[in-house]
Amino acid sequence: MNKGRHIFTVVMAAVGGALLLAGAALFLVGLALEGWDVAALNNAHFEVRSYAAAGDIESVHIRYESARIRIESGESFSLTYPVRTNSRGDVLAEVTVTEENGVLTVTEADPFPIWGISFGTGETPALVLTLPAKEYEEITASASAGSVAAEGIAAKALTLRADAGSAEAKGVRVSGAAAFTAALGDVTLRDVEAGSLSAAADVGRIEAEQVRAEREATFTAGLGNIDLREVEAGSLSAAADTGSIAADGVYAESAAFTANLGDIDLRAVDAASVQLANELGDIAATLAGTKEEYTIRVQTELGSSNVVDRDGGSRRLNAQTEMGSIRVDFAG
């Protein structure tokens, strides 16, 4: 019952957001058809500023209300960031940059986000932080409206969060915990290594390719698909409330895939323990090894299965559906 209520809430939130955006678009189109200069309604202007570090930076904390945030590796430190102003040049959202004991903090204070509304003026300017190549203690970056991306950086801990926008990491190395979250947008990971890793999208898809987590890796989607390719972890879990899960090349001690409303389609999964669960949708999987290597437990309520319970294998497979078929093939 709680799962059903959660799915309903996620779907209704997505539908409501889509209707709101559609309504706003129709409103602007209507004004344009009546001869209004829609661009003249814009009250968001941006002044780009820069900052030079006074000393060695060891940690970074960025919190912006409205900006695209990009953190990348380079030869030397540089920081450019947008400051929102009105048409007269008055600052609408103060941005504070501080540096203390090797910790760089960038914060945009925005008590009235409506001041930043922009009509027909293109993308929000980007905050771009370039860091010299080394391992940093901690890097966190979040945006209420805008994307957050990191490329080519190394840290002991990394957190990227976008409330309304995408979160992306490429060529990133994290010796400790790495967390990537998009409330309304996609999470995309390419060539990422971490001690432990979590990726979550409330309304949006998750794509992970060439991702390695020494310990655990978790992928959670509320309304959206999960697509995993060449993912390795000590333990791996992927769960989608409303959306499908696809994987090609998963290597783990234990792997769990759960879908509430959507299909599960897995290829080249190599794990000592595999758990597959689906409420409304089919399960198709190709597992490493032979059938004889697995102790199998299967449960279906309204659906069929090409595998049945068996004992004796050192590996373990649990597969269950409430309404959907199960097909498991073995590569060995």
Side-chain angles (χ1 to χ4, degrees):
M1 186 67 179
N2 289 335
K3 285 185 178 179
R5 186 180 295 113
H6 177 67
I7 294 172
F8 177 80
T9 301
V10 171
V11 172
M12 289 300 100
V15 171
L19 290 175
L20 179 62
L21 292 175
L26 289 173
F27 172 73
L28 296 177
V29 170
L31 290 180
L33 291 175
E34 289 297 319
W36 283 67
D37 182 3
V38 175
L41 296 176
N42 175 46
N43 68 340
H45 301 262
F46 296 90
E47 173 188 330
V48 178
R49 298 180 182 178
S50 62
Y51 176 83
D56 292 334
I57 301 300
E58 300 297 334
S59 295
V60 175
H61 303 290
I62 300 173
R63 171 62 187 174
Y64 245 76
E65 294 298 326
S66 179
R68 292 176 295 121
I69 298 173
R70 179 174 178 81
I71 304 173
E72 59 189 16
S73 179
E75 293 184 359
S76 60
F77 176 94
S78 69
L79 170 63
T80 58
Y81 59 94
V83 176
R84 270 187 287 170
T85 67
N86 59 22
S87 59
R88 299 186 303 274
D90 301 323
V91 174
L92 299 180
E94 292 286 349
V95 178
T96 303
V97 181
T98 63
E99 181 182 342
E100 185 175 357
N101 297 324
V103 179
L104 176 71
T105 303
V106 184
T107 306
E108 181 190 41
D110 189 9
F112 302 106
I114 191 66
W115 287 356
I117 290 179
S118 178
F119 299 109
T121 58
E123 287 188 300
T124 303
L127 179 155
V128 180
L129 172 63
T130 303
L131 296 171
K134 69 175 185 179
E135 184 182 55
Y136 291 83
E137 288 293 324
E138 182 180 17
I139 296 176
T140 66
S142 63
S144 293
S147 61
V148 182
E151 182 172 358
I153 62 173
K156 293 181 180 179
L158 173 66
T159 301
L160 303 183
R161 178 181 177 85
D163 291 335
S166 62
E168 181 178 353
K170 181 179 180 181
V172 168
R173 303 292 179 262
V174 183
S175 58
F180 309 95
T181 305
L184 185 60
D186 299 337
V187 175
T188 305
L189 308 178
R190 298 281 189 276
D191 184 20
V192 174
E193 293 184 5
S196 61
L197 182 147
S198 65
D202 290 339
V203 180
R205 65 182 295 124
I206 296 175
E207 294 186 31
E209 183 175 2
Q210 293 182 331
V211 171
R212 181 180 180 275
E214 183 179 352
R215 297 182 294 278
E216 67 274 6
T218 62
F219 304 90
T220 308
L223 179 59
N225 299 333
I226 298 175
D227 189 0
L228 309 178
R229 295 183 297 277
E230 298 181 48
V231 176
E232 181 179 352
S235 64
L236 182 146
S237 66
D241 280 343
T242 304
S244 63
I245 300 175
D248 190 350
V250 170
Y251 309 91
E253 284 298 316
S254 63
F257 302 89
T258 305
N260 291 327
L261 182 60
D263 294 336
I264 297 175
D265 187 3
L266 312 176
R267 300 178 183 179
V269 174
D270 189 348
S273 173
V274 179
Q275 297 187 27
L276 310 174
N278 206 339
E279 289 193 7
L280 183 57
D282 297 333
I283 293 175
T286 301
L287 307 182
T290 64
K291 182 188 298 186
E292 288 70 28
E293 294 179 49
Y294 289 82
T295 294
I296 300 175
R297 294 293 181 268
V298 177
Q299 180 179 348
T300 61
E301 293 190 13
L302 293 174
S304 60
S305 174
N306 74 324
V307 291
V308 296
D309 291 356
R310 71 176 306 277
D311 295 312
S314 59
R315 299 183 190 235
R316 186 167 185 87
L317 167 64
N318 288 344
Q320 62 180 48
T321 61
E322 292 189 10
M323 185 178 294
S325 64
I326 297 173
R327 179 175 181 82
V328 179
D329 295 315
F330 301 90

